[in-house]
Amino acid sequence: MSSPEYLYLIAKPVGRETELIRAESLALTGTWPDELGIAVSNRFTDTARGAYVLANVEILLSVSSEITLDLLYQQICQLGLQGHNFCVRIIKRPKKIPLSFDQFEVANQIGVRIDGPANLSKPEMEFWLIITPKRFWFGLKRSISDKQWTHFNKRPHTTSSSLPSRIARAMVNLTANPGDRLLDPCCGTGTILLEGANMGLQVFGCDLNLKMKEATRKNLAHFGLSGAVALADARQISSTTFGHPFNAIVTDLPYGISLVKDEERDRQILANIRMLAPRATFVSARDLSQDLENLGYQIETIVQVPKHDRFVRQVFVTRSVSG
């Protein structure tokens, strides 16, 4: 029996966050999305954690969109599907694709070919027919993004330079695996820690500013999330700061008005934390490539995330090189 394939619906890769969308798709699904925001992979990923990876559908049938609806129904019937409290949903990519048929009637016709009771208001199972200009994809929805980042954007404590929650979630997905211990050594108001904790990671943060440290603690508590937060300088912390090593580091390096001073501070931070975790992702307003390479980091990916025409966040996904 062949292994299942999964279709992932991705936020359409256009606009300022195109590179980040593609990078998260590759990290979570193992492949790039196409121009419609569709990625097909034999890797299973729970997309509840996704920032731009929105849904996972186990593919049961994939056919040309040029076949007749009767043939589509016949092939779905041959699958011998059973459902309990299920529904059938029609998903169009692109959303404005013109249809020559009534999509609600199609959903109904598919539904009558699945054994078991339907439940349109509170379904326990969802069968999706994904319609594109070239193909019909039919499958069982396995997971969808919880989109919790939309709530974290409304956290009670924030600053004007705080990282947007959706970008923070994508950064965690580029770096950490389920169950990891995640450190943010420059946690600010805790945007990254909120995302990590929501995904079920063990999160740890520190900041040398007492006000920021308390803001992080309060933000975590506001959403009922747990994490350890310390008042500490990222240039001096060690594996003993929280009592054990970490699997991943994700941090938004602080911005400042004194470029020379800030560059030296960044180098000291990067040098100090290099051996605290094997994987690390940094966001900065400047190019860190040379500093990272000089300090022994292996750069895997660099992602450009423009905020506006004159300010571009640069995301560096790295691994530490032993020695």
Side-chain angles (χ1 to χ4, degrees), residues 10-303:
I10 318 292
K12 194 170 181 180
V14 294
R16 297 186 185 276
E17 296 169 8
T18 294
E19 289 188 22
L20 191 59
I21 293 169
R22 288 171 55 82
E24 187 190 51
S25 175
L26 185 62
L28 294 186
T29 75
T31 188
W32 304 105
D34 65 15
E35 68 279 3
L36 297 176
I38 290 177
V40 176
S41 171
N42 58 10
R43 179 194 296 183
F44 176 85
T45 296
D46 182 355
T47 55
R49 66 187 289 185
Y52 302 97
V53 179
L54 305 176
N56 172 349
V57 178
E58 182 179 345
I59 299 171
L60 303 176
L61 181 67
S62 172
V63 295
S64 169
S65 59
E66 295 181 359
I67 70 168
T68 65
L69 290 177
D70 286 341
L71 184 54
L72 174 66
Y73 301 149
Q74 179 182 336
Q75 293 194 28
I76 291 175
C77 188
Q78 290 172 351
L79 295 173
L81 298 174
Q82 292 187 337
H84 181 74
N85 289 333
F86 72 90
C87 75
V88 176
R89 298 195 188 282
I90 306 294
I91 309 295
K92 299 188 297 180
R93 285 291 178 100
K95 291 183 179 180
K96 294 184 178 180
I97 182 174
L99 300 179
S100 60
F101 49 80
D102 184 330
Q103 65 186 59
F104 300 105
E105 176 60 21
V106 170
N108 180 65
Q109 289 298 323
I110 293 173
V112 299
R113 288 164 172 81
I114 300 172
D115 290 337
N119 188 327
L120 302 183
S121 58
K122 294 183 179 180
E124 297 175 16
M125 302 173 64
E126 293 186 17
F127 293 95
W128 287 15
L129 178 67
I130 300 160
I131 301 173
T132 72
K134 294 183 179 181
R135 299 202 72 74
F136 289 140
W137 306 87
F138 178 72
L140 179 63
K141 184 202 77 177
R142 290 301 187 186
S143 62
I144 60 173
S145 171
D146 65 18
K147 295 187 178 180
Q148 192 67 22
W149 53 268
T150 61
H151 300 291
F152 296 151
N153 273 332
K154 302 173 184 176
R155 58 194 179 279
H157 302 277
T158 188
T159 68
S160 60
S161 61
S162 291
L163 201 63
S165 293
R166 196 174 194 181
I167 294 176
R169 173 165 288 213
M171 287 175 56
V172 174
N173 282 330
L174 295 181
T175 319
N177 298 314
D180 275 356
R181 292 187 297 274
L182 173 70
L183 170 69
D184 182 351
C186 309
C187 66
T189 59
T191 311
I192 290 167
L193 299 184
L194 287 169
E195 298 298 338
N198 176 247
M199 295 181 202
L201 306 181
Q202 300 177 59
V203 299
F204 306 85
C206 56
D207 202 285
L208 54 75
N209 185 316
L210 178 61
K211 183 178 179 180
M212 294 296 100
K213 178 252 184 182
E214 285 301 299
T216 293
R217 184 184 63 78
K218 292 174 182 177
N219 280 336
L220 286 166
H222 176 79
F223 292 103
L225 298 170
S226 60
V229 189
L231 182 65
D233 189 332
R235 293 168 290 188
Q236 300 174 357
I237 61 174
S238 69
S239 59
T240 62
T241 301
F242 292 100
H244 51 69
F246 308 95
N247 305 107
I249 293 172
V250 180
T251 195
D252 182 13
L253 291 171
Y255 309 136
I257 59 174
S258 176
L259 182 61
V260 175
K261 179 181 178 181
D262 291 344
E263 287 187 7
E264 180 57 32
R265 176 209 57 205
D266 291 348
R267 292 188 192 100
Q268 293 172 3
I269 293 173
L270 295 173
N272 182 56
I273 66 177
R274 185 175 75 84
M275 300 307 295
L276 296 187
R279 303 185 304 275
T281 292
F282 306 99
V283 61
S284 175
R286 69 180 182 88
D287 187 357
L288 299 176
S289 301
Q290 195 61 60
D291 285 343
L292 290 169
E293 291 174 359
N294 291 343
L295 292 168
Y297 290 89
Q298 177 182 320
I299 300 173
E300 294 190 339
T301 307
I302 301 175
V303 179

